[in-house]
């Protein structure tokens, strides 16, 4: 069903009336229209109707109508009211956090209340990078032989020396002009990025217990804390219905997710490899390529993977028995799970070192953990626990940039978690990211719309104001923004709808510039120094002593 064209007329009217009420409320306020470079500065987003909840069965109503854009030379209409829902409102202030008690006393009280240890790895079984299977996984992570066209690898979008991502707002997977050039400067013949979502960091990926990917499409059914999905209750993937365990999902969330970039045409598979065949056929073919058997015979010039798999898993076997897509997933997952980087200043502070944080970072932490009513920013409600995430899905109305995921009338939109659940409240909702090493894992947002840490912080403080003043110049000019205006307006309307329904979401807060700086200082205290050190990261990178089983290991080039 196309949810945006086959809506119920009755609910369409209700949705329109609801949005009209939001507009009337917003009209009572005033706004500064002097911002330059804004998403909606002097441009009309169009009259947008978003799906409205049915009071009876909470089904999704799907409707979107866009007004024609102004003709050349015609005075554009006023700013869409969908972006003004908070304009003129009296915002809570974060200036009232108590200054009576010392910062350390207040912080340690909050730490105790929230049961923080500073270390999310406690109680987990995590592999060492020296584990033979992890070492095999590293070679697999770096080989372009797992790309359908032999021009991309896992590391293409998830390089350890690029924050476990690619340092791009949106990735370029297959078909790059220079397959070995990673990060800024990587280009595609089309002139645009081809992958619609920002590459999440692989750092500390083993800490996820509920789901992986921005929309949670790799999901633990048991959600057992500390298990990374390995609790025997099954893992759901996009290849089975929601709530159903995929029998081929591998042993944990990380191994399960490693099976999917291989089958994505934009990321690694390409558009010709096993064209028309299913995802499993592509995985099996890639395994046969490495093992030089079946459909993959002769595709590698001098394959030497059998010895590496036997060394990694500690036993001998025929290629057909040991070089399988399941063993490949296990090895890559083991390598990724070894990327544990949690030794930061915040951890040292939580564990007793009062001098580990600057005074600014302490003030920022107090803002971060304190609730709205106590003058804080309430960040820890969603960015909770030692891993700084509730692993839930929330609407933030991050500017919608890039090619989109095929959603909406023209396919340029990205409906987020809604794509998996079909639930109205999940429209434009994305998984709460961890904040560990956040300073090094940008750009930020599900589509990398923000290229500075300050930018994403200020967005959370007031999404509507941030959208209205969004600076397109921060993006690489190649990123698609033709539909950013109307798609972001819909996301903002959804955010306001969720607020109206009383759902957990961000509220607008006023901070001084100094308080924003304090908040950022705290976020920087979450960085493990290892992730900024070439020497420290060396075990996770290819070295001169690493074998090259196929001549296709990606010896990455980074643009100067």
């Amino acid at each position: 069903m196309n949810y945006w064209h086959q809506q119920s007329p009755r609910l369409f009217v209700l949705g329109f009336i609801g949005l009209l009420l939001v507009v009337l409320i917003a009209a009572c306020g005033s706004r500064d229209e002097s911002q330059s470079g804004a998403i909606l500065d002097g441009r009309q987003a169009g009259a947008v109707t978003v799906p409205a909840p049915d009071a009876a069965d909470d089904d999704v109503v799907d409707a979107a109508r866009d007004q024609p854009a102004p003709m050349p030379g015609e005075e554009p209409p006023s700013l869409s009211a969908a972006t003004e829902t908070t304009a003129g409102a009296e915002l809570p202030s974060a200036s009232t956090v108590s200054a009576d008690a010392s910062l350390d006393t207040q912080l340690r009280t909050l730490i105790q209340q929230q049961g923080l240890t500073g270390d999310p790895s406690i109680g987990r079984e995590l592999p060492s990078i020296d584990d033979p299977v992890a070492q095999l996984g590293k070679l697999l992570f770096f080989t372009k032989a797992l790309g359908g066209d032999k021009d991309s690898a896992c590391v293409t979008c998830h390089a350890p020396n690029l924050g476990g991502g690619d340092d791009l707002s949106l990735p370029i997977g297959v078909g790059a002009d220079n397959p070995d050039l990673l990060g800024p400067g990587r280009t595609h013949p089309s002139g645009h990025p081809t992958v619609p979502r920002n590459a999440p960091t692989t750092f500390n990926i083993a800490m996820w217990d509920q789901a992986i990917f921005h929309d949670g499409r790799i999901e633990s059914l048991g959600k057992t804390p500390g298990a990374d999905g390995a609790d025997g209750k099954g893992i759901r993937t996009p290849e089975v219905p929601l709530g159903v365990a995929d029998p081929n999902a591998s042993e944990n969330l990380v191994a399960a997710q490693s099976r999917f970039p291989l089958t994505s045409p934009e990321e690694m598979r390409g558009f010709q490899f096993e064209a028309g065949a299913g995802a499993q056929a592509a995985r099996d073919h890639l395994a046969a390529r490495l093992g030089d058997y079946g459909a993959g015979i002769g595709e590698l010039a001098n394959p030497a993977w059998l010895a590496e798999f036997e060394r990694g898993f500690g036993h001998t076997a025929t290629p057909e028995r040991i070089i399988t897509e399941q063993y490949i997933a296990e090895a890559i997952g083991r390598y990724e799970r070894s990327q544990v980087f949690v030794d930061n200043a915040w951890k040292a502070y939580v564990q007793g070192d009062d001098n580990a944080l600057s005074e600014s970072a302490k003030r920022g932490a107090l803002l971060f953990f304190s609730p709205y009513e106590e003058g804080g920013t309430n960040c820890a409600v969603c960015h909770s626990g030692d891993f700084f995430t509730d692993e839930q899905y929330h609407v933030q109305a991050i500017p919608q940039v890039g090619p989109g995921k095929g959603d909406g009338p023209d396919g340029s939109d990205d409906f987020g978690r809604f794509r998996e659940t079909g639930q109205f409240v999940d429209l434009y909702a994305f998984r709460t990211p961890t904040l560990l090493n956040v300073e090094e894992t940008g750009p930020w947002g599900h589509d990398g719309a923000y290229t500075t840490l300050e930018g994403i912080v200020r967005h959370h403080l007031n999404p509507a104001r941030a959208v209205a003043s969004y600076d397109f110049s921060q993006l690489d000019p190649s990123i698609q923004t033709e539909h950013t205006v109307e798609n972001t307006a819909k996301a903002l309307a959804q955010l306001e709808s969720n607020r109206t329904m009383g759902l957990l979401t961000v509220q607008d807060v006023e901070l001084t510039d100094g308080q924003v700086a304090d908040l950022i200082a705290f976020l920087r205290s979450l960085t493990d120094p290892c992730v900024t050190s070439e020497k420290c990261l060396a075990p996770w990178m290819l070295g001169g002593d690493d074998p090259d089983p196929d001549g296709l290991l990606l010896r990455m080039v980074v643009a100067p």
Side-chain angles (χ1 to χ4, degrees):
M1 174 185 290
N2 186 326
Y3 287 113
W4 291 90
H5 289 117
Q6 299 182 22
Q7 74 279 2
S8 160
R10 174 177 65 86
L11 292 175
F12 175 87
V13 172
L14 290 174
F16 179 80
I17 291 173
L19 185 57
L20 181 60
L21 289 173
V22 170
V23 172
L24 292 175
I25 293 170
C28 296
S30 59
R31 68 179 303 277
D32 180 359
E33 297 187 5
S34 65
Q35 302 285 356
S36 61
I39 277 186
L40 299 172
D41 184 15
R43 287 185 280 169
Q44 168 69 310
V48 178
T49 305
V50 298
D54 188 301
D57 58 14
D58 199 32
D59 282 344
V60 179
V61 178
D62 314 308
R65 267 189 327 193
D66 296 324
Q67 292 181 348
M71 297 296 291
E74 182 179 342
E75 184 69 21
S78 61
L79 177 68
S80 170
T83 69
E84 299 182 354
T85 55
T86 60
E90 183 176 350
L91 304 179
S93 170
S95 62
T96 58
V97 173
S98 173
D100 295 337
S102 72
L103 288 175
D104 291 324
T105 299
Q106 294 180 78
L107 266 183
R108 296 211 175 279
T109 298
L110 288 171
I111 288 168
Q112 183 178 23
Q113 289 174 348
Q114 301 199 23
L116 301 178
T117 68
D119 187 353
S121 69
I122 292 175
R124 296 178 182 271
E125 295 183 8
L126 300 168
S128 163
I129 185 57
D130 296 323
D131 181 314
V133 178
Q135 285 292 303
L136 170 63
K138 180 172 73 170
L139 298 179
L140 292 166
F141 194 83
F142 277 80
T143 183
K144 291 178 286 186
L146 286 178
D149 298 330
K150 304 177 191 174
D151 69 348
S152 61
C154 300
V155 74
T156 296
C157 297
H158 300 284
N161 61 340
L162 294 175
D166 59 5
D167 202 21
L168 298 171
S169 290
L170 294 172
I172 294 172
V174 302
D177 292 313
N178 180 352
D180 293 342
L181 193 156
L182 306 188
R186 185 175 176 86
T187 57
H188 189 271
S190 69
H192 301 289
T194 53
V195 180
R197 289 180 181 163
N198 179 260
T201 181
T202 52
F203 291 167
N204 299 316
I205 193 172
M207 312 298 172
W208 294 101
D209 292 325
Q210 298 193 31
I212 288 183
F213 292 138
H214 292 293
D215 55 15
R217 62 187 183 275
I218 306 295
E219 184 173 11
S220 167
L221 299 183
K223 298 179 172 58
T224 302
D228 183 28
D231 56 8
K233 298 181 180 179
I235 294 172
R236 183 261 172 175
T237 77
E239 294 176 0
V240 297
L242 191 69
V244 175
D246 184 343
N248 298 318
S250 299
E251 62 180 358
N252 55 60
L253 286 172
V254 181
Q257 66 80 32
S258 74
R259 302 170 67 240
F260 285 86
L262 309 182
T263 64
S264 166
E266 296 85 3
E267 295 178 43
M268 291 182 67
R269 179 173 178 171
F271 295 89
Q272 301 302 320
F273 180 75
E274 285 287 349
Q280 192 58 43
R283 295 188 190 102
D284 290 338
H285 187 156
L286 291 170
R289 173 188 286 176
L290 267 57
D292 199 33
Y293 63 82
I297 288 180
E299 291 188 359
L300 299 179
N302 295 294
W305 281 104
L306 180 58
E308 299 305 325
F309 273 78
E310 290 179 338
R311 182 180 300 110
F313 287 105
H315 63 87
T316 60
T318 63
E320 292 87 348
R321 296 293 299 273
I322 198 170
I323 305 180
T324 68
E325 72 97 359
Q326 285 291 313
Y327 276 122
I328 290 170
E330 181 179 345
I332 293 176
R334 192 84 61 95
Y335 165 72
E336 292 181 348
R337 294 182 77 247
S338 76
Q339 296 183 13
V340 179
F341 303 110
V342 299
D343 290 326
N344 52 55
W346 170 250
K347 174 184 174 182
Y349 181 84
V350 172
Q351 296 183 354
D353 183 358
D354 284 350
N355 297 318
L357 297 184
S358 68
E359 292 299 297
S360 177
K362 291 176 183 179
R363 292 193 299 268
L366 196 58
L367 287 169
F368 185 95
F369 288 104
S370 296
Y372 295 127
E373 58 269 22
E374 295 179 12
T377 54
N378 217 38
C379 302
V381 170
C382 297
H383 292 285
S384 56
D386 288 313
F387 195 37
F388 288 90
T389 174
D390 60 1
E391 297 197 51
Q392 298 302 303
Y393 308 89
H394 305 285
V395 180
Q396 304 291 341
I398 301 294
Q400 296 277 87
V401 303
K405 289 284 287 184
D407 299 326
D410 55 17
S412 68
D413 215 342
D414 184 347
F415 290 168
R417 180 65 173 168
F418 177 87
R419 293 171 55 84
E420 301 302 311
T421 68
Q423 296 296 312
F424 167 75
V425 295
D426 289 329
L427 190 64
Y428 298 109
F430 296 89
R431 187 191 63 171
T432 306
T434 174
L435 296 181
L436 294 181
N437 304 300
V438 65
E439 179 185 11
E440 300 298 323
T441 58
W444 298 270
H446 69 276
D447 53 3
Y450 285 99
T451 60
T452 68
L453 192 55
E454 180 178 352
I456 191 68
V457 167
R458 289 189 181 276
H459 181 97
H460 281 72
L461 298 176
N462 190 321
R465 183 165 61 195
V467 164
S469 60
Y470 182 73
D471 182 6
F472 282 94
S473 70
Q474 67 187 286
L475 296 174
D476 187 286
S478 68
I479 294 177
Q480 304 92 325
T481 58
E482 298 90 334
H483 302 282
T484 297
V485 170
E486 57 265 35
N487 292 340
T488 306
K490 295 171 190 174
L492 274 169
Q494 178 67 19
L495 170 61
E496 190 59 32
S497 175
N498 285 8
R499 284 174 168 176
T500 301
M501 289 188 290
L503 300 178
L504 177 63
T505 188
V506 291
Q507 302 299 321
D508 299 334
V509 179
E510 286 288 354
L511 292 186
T512 66
D513 289 345
Q515 289 172 316
V516 171
D518 289 342
L519 202 52
I520 292 171
F522 168 64
L523 294 178
R524 287 175 172 156
S525 77
L526 305 179
T527 300
D528 184 330
C530 184
V531 304
T532 64
S533 166
E534 181 178 348
K535 180 179 179 181
C536 189
L537 286 175
W540 290 273
M541 300 292 294
L542 285 182
D545 296 334
D546 285 315
D548 189 344
D550 54 24
L552 288 172
L553 293 189
L554 198 157
R555 305 285 179 177
M556 59 183 293
V557 177
V558 177

